[in-house]
Amino acid sequence: MAVAELNGALIVNEASFFAESRRAFGFHTATGDTIDTWVDCLSYLRDDENMTKFRLQPDEVLEIVITDSAALRSRLPDLVDEIAFCVGGINERYEDYGEKPALELVLR
């Protein structure tokens, strides 16, 4: 299983979330720092788009691990909720295309 780890201790605002996401997922620096771009980049994990450093096989799942998630939730509860919502939406997008869900969110 592929794993992308976001260090929740380093995420103190939206800007640091996107910086940590660029590091963990290998997003290109040219991608915009918006949640829509985050969703778009993680919606092509099984395609040749190279929007992340990950290229998943048809049955493979990318585990997104957020460490120090309790502290992150106390600082930015809306962000944690939005990440979970987006992961669910991305998985629905995969299912709409007849594929298995590609993401699993793990809060540690």
Side-chain angles (χ1 to χ4, degrees), residues 6-13 16-17 20 66 72 75-76 79:
L6 295 139
N7 185 342
L10 298 178
I11 301 171
V12 296
N13 55 30
S16 59
F17 166 70
E20 185 63 6
I66 302 178
L72 176 59
R75 276 192 311 281
L76 301 168
L79 178 63

Side-chain angles (χ1 to χ4, degrees), residues 79-92:
L79 178 63
V80 175
D81 290 344
E82 187 168 25
I83 293 167
F85 177 80
C86 289
V87 166
I90 293 166
N91 281 334
E92 285 179 18

Side-chain angles (χ1 to χ4, degrees), residues 4-5 7 13 17 22 27-28 32 36 39-40 45 48 53 58 60-62 67-69 78-79 81 90 92 107:
E5 186 172 297
N7 185 342
N13 55 30
F17 166 70
R22 275 193 306 279
F27 294 157
H28 297 275
D36 290 335
V39 167
D40 287 344
L45 294 169
D48 292 329
K53 65 183 177 184
E60 191 176 11
V61 172
L62 174 61
T67 61
D68 294 310
S69 62
D78 292 342
L79 178 63
D81 290 344
I90 293 166
E92 285 179 18
L107 303 175

Side-chain angles (χ1 to χ4, degrees), residues 2-69:
V3 178
E5 186 172 297
L6 295 139
N7 185 342
L10 298 178
I11 301 171
V12 296
N13 55 30
E14 278 193 21
S16 59
F17 166 70
F18 291 117
E20 185 63 6
S21 291
R22 275 193 306 279
R23 183 202 59 76
F25 298 111
F27 294 157
H28 297 275
T29 56
T31 59
D33 286 345
T34 68
I35 200 68
D36 290 335
T37 301
W38 193 87
V39 167
D40 287 344
C41 287
L42 294 176
S43 296
Y44 294 95
L45 294 169
R46 295 189 179 122
D47 298 331
D48 292 329
E49 301 297 324
N50 296 319
M51 297 180 81
T52 73
K53 65 183 177 184
F54 297 97
R55 175 80 159 80
L56 301 182
Q57 297 301 313
D59 292 334
E60 191 176 11
V61 172
L62 174 61
E63 185 176 76
I64 301 172
V65 177
I66 302 178
T67 61
D68 294 310
S69 62

